[in-house]
Amino acid sequence: MPNFKLVAPYCGVRKYDKRFFVNYLETEENIRREYIFNTDEDASNFSHALENLTAFMKNVPIRKKEAYHQEFLDLLLREVDHKLNVRANPVEPAAAASAIEA
């Protein structure tokens, strides 16, 4: 998959221009959150925050990681001009990972 990076066992990220696709692979719905930014600076800041978040998540209990990850991103982006689309993908993780390219 071009530009796809697995940032945690439960989460992968793909970047395209000013869009970030965050795919949660282990949820029942295989949630994909698409963040669209208006500026390169906001997109770059988001990318750095994802890297920092991944390091932080090592200390979070496994059963809470996905929820914490989504909540942190929501808090981080509260003041940033962006658009968020949330989509549920097919149930199978392999199909969900393939849907990132869709």
Side-chain angles (χ1 to χ4, degrees):
M1 275 182 254
N3 301 321
F4 180 76
K5 180 180 179 184
L6 191 64
V7 295
Y10 58 85
C11 180
V13 176
R14 183 172 71 94
K15 180 182 185 239
Y16 177 76
D17 194 26
K18 296 176 191 167
R19 295 173 182 244
F20 284 83
F21 302 90
V22 181
N23 204 82
Y24 293 94
L25 301 172
E26 294 184 357
T27 59
E28 288 184 22
E29 301 85 13
N30 290 309
I31 303 269
R32 182 177 90 176
R33 295 165 62 106
E34 175 186 11
Y35 297 90
I36 305 167
F37 298 97
N38 292 327
T39 69
D40 289 329
E41 181 181 4
D42 287 341
S44 179
N45 289 342
F46 182 75
S47 181
H48 294 301
L50 277 175
E51 292 171 14
N52 293 336
L53 178 60
T54 301
F56 166 78
M57 294 301 284
K58 291 177 183 174
N59 299 319
V60 174
I62 292 173
R63 68 186 184 283
K64 295 183 179 183
K65 286 188 180 207
E66 290 177 36
Y68 278 27
H69 199 268
Q70 290 180 20
E71 287 178 34
F72 178 83
L73 293 180
D74 289 342
L75 289 172
L76 174 73
L77 296 172
R78 187 175 285 166
E79 302 292 323
V80 177
D81 189 14
H82 73 288
K83 180 179 177 185
L84 171 63
N85 295 321
V86 179
R87 185 175 103 181
N89 286 321
V91 176
E92 297 176 30
S98 297
I100 291 175
E101 292 188 19

